[in-house]
């Protein structure tokens, strides 16, 4: 419940910041830190509790692999392109947060959660892959 409440407050905060045009660089960095931490810690807890299959942790790894790949390109002197705005990233992140909240609850067991986990995981992994192809210049956005 705490993870779900934190996600809901994060969504409200982001909505208000955009709506009232009160966005800041610090706020954006804190939001990304909260989201990244949540996508790491919450799925690990759900796997440890037997509420999510271990392969779901590929979502947790995807963000760090994306950042590592981008950083490696910079260190090698290769071009790193900016990500354009996306209409799908934010809704997918919200879907993941809602799903992880559900998975952390005792409402569904591992057997019931496997297929929904796959259905929400695959699009997110596909977006990480697409985004990496964009920042590496292999795909135009």
């Amino acid at each position: 419940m705490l993870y779900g409440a934190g996600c809901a407050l994060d969504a409200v905060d982001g909505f208000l910041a955009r709506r009232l045009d009160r966005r800041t660089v610090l706020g954006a960095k804190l939001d990304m830190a909260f989201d990244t931490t949540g996508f790491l810690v919450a799925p690990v807890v759900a796997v440890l509790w037997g509420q999510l299959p271990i392969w779901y942790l590929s979502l947790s790894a995807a963000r760090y692999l994306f950042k590592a790949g981008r950083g490696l390109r910079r260190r090698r002197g290769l071009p790193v392109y900016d990500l354009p705005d996306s209409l799908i990233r934010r809704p997918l992140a919200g879907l993941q947060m809602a799903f992880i909240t559900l998975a952390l609850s005792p409402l569904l067991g591992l057997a019931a959660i496997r297929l929904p986990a796959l259905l929400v995981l695959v699009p997110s992994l596909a977006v990480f892959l697409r985004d990496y192809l964009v920042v590496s210049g292999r795909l135009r956005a």
Side-chain angles (χ1 to χ4, degrees):
M1 289 180 66
L2 290 175
Y3 176 74
C7 291
L9 290 173
D10 180 48
V12 169
D13 173 64
F15 172 79
L16 289 175
R18 286 185 300 279
R19 183 81 165 169
L20 301 174
D21 197 26
R22 303 281 299 198
R23 294 171 283 195
T24 65
V25 173
L26 176 62
K29 287 186 183 285
L30 288 173
D31 182 61
M32 182 58 69
F34 176 81
D35 293 347
T36 301
T37 302
F39 283 139
L40 173 65
V41 175
V44 167
V45 169
V47 167
L48 290 174
W49 286 355
Q51 294 294 108
L52 277 176
I54 195 161
W55 46 260
Y56 193 84
L57 294 180
S58 59
L59 175 67
S60 302
R63 173 74 180 151
Y64 294 99
L65 289 172
F66 175 83
K67 289 181 70 135
R70 197 174 52 187
L72 185 59
R73 287 187 65 79
R74 282 192 179 110
R75 281 191 294 283
R76 289 183 172 171
L78 297 170
V80 176
Y81 301 93
D82 291 332
L83 276 176
D85 290 336
S86 170
L87 296 176
I88 195 165
R89 273 189 223 108
R90 186 172 290 133
L92 265 179
L95 175 65
Q96 288 295 339
M97 290 176 186
F99 177 75
I100 293 167
T101 299
L102 176 66
L104 285 168
S105 77
L107 297 176
L108 297 174
L110 184 57
I113 208 91
R114 279 186 190 276
L115 180 58
L118 185 63
L119 294 175
V120 299
L121 178 64
V122 169
S124 293
L125 293 178
V127 167
F128 272 115
L129 177 61
R130 183 208 59 197
D131 286 353
Y132 182 74
L133 293 174
V134 168
V135 299
S136 66
R138 293 181 179 108
L139 182 68
R140 293 183 193 255

